[in-house]
């Protein structure tokens, strides 16, 4: 059964090919009785490049579970892509802050702190023998 065009377009926007996703239909587990135990209505998706897995058995229908599983996989892949871009932006901002020029006040405070520290170190001389 082909995927809806809406899902395919969202996958394309993320740069993901549907061929990279393994799709299996397996028997469910848990409560539900004979219907769950006899039919393979649970959908299991795995995106090979990232290793993300999604398993869905919320509904009794295989078709409904399949759409739900694809939606969950898309949500996870979107979140991963968003985290990646946010990390890149964060790294760029961190680099920019690290390399920007210090303000005049910061320079004055830094020099004063160095002079203060030098005064402490100057008082560390040897103990003289007074005797």
């Amino acid at each position: 059964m082909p995927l809806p065009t809406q899902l395919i377009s969202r996958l394309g926007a993320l740069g993901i090919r549907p061929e990279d996703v393994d799709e299996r239909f397996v028997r469910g587990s848990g409560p539900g009785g004979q219907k769950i135990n006899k039919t393979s209505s649970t959908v299991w998706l795995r995106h090979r490049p990232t290793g993300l897995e999604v398993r869905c058995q919320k509904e009794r229908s295989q078709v409904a579970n399949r759409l739900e599983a694809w939606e969950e996989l898309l949500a996870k892949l979107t979140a991963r892509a968003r985290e990646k871009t946010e990390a890149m932006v964060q790294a760029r901002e961190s680099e920019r802050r690290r390399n920007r020029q210090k303000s005049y006040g910061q320079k004055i405070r830094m020099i004063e702190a160095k002079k203060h520290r030098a005064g402490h170190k100057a008082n560390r001389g040897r103990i003289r023998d007074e005797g």
Side-chain angles (χ1 to χ4, degrees), residues 19-81:
E19 301 86 47
D20 290 341
V21 178
D22 293 329
E23 183 176 42
R24 290 194 304 181
F25 302 99
V26 295
R27 290 205 180 124
S29 62
Q34 191 174 17
K35 173 67 176 165
I36 281 287
N37 298 332
K38 285 176 72 176
T39 61
S40 298
S41 61
T42 300
V43 180
W44 177 83
L45 299 176
R46 181 172 168 263
H47 185 240
R48 282 187 303 257
T50 59
L52 284 175
E53 291 185 6
V54 171
R55 183 181 163 120
C56 182
Q57 73 173 39
K58 292 180 184 174
E59 304 292 330
R60 289 179 67 176
S61 163
Q62 188 184 72
V63 175
N65 283 334
R66 183 173 186 244
L67 290 175
E68 185 72 28
W70 277 100
E71 290 289 336
E72 283 183 40
L73 184 66
L74 274 169
K76 283 186 176 185
L77 289 168
T78 304
R80 180 175 269 208

Side-chain angles (χ1 to χ4, degrees), residues 82-126:
R82 188 179 310 118
E83 288 172 4
K84 190 176 181 180
T85 56
E86 286 175 4
M88 287 173 48
V89 168
Q90 191 74 24
R92 196 175 326 125
E93 282 295 309
S94 174
E95 184 70 23
R96 185 185 64 80
R97 283 192 301 271
R98 190 169 37 251
N99 291 332
R100 70 181 171 204
Q101 191 172 6
K102 291 178 178 53
S103 69
Y104 179 74
Q106 282 177 316
K107 288 178 185 177
I108 297 296
R109 285 190 298 276
M110 186 177 66
I111 290 171
E112 289 300 318
K114 285 184 175 187
K115 285 180 182 176
H116 183 73
R117 186 77 187 137
H120 274 292
K121 286 187 162 189
N123 293 333
R124 287 188 191 164
R126 288 180 167 249

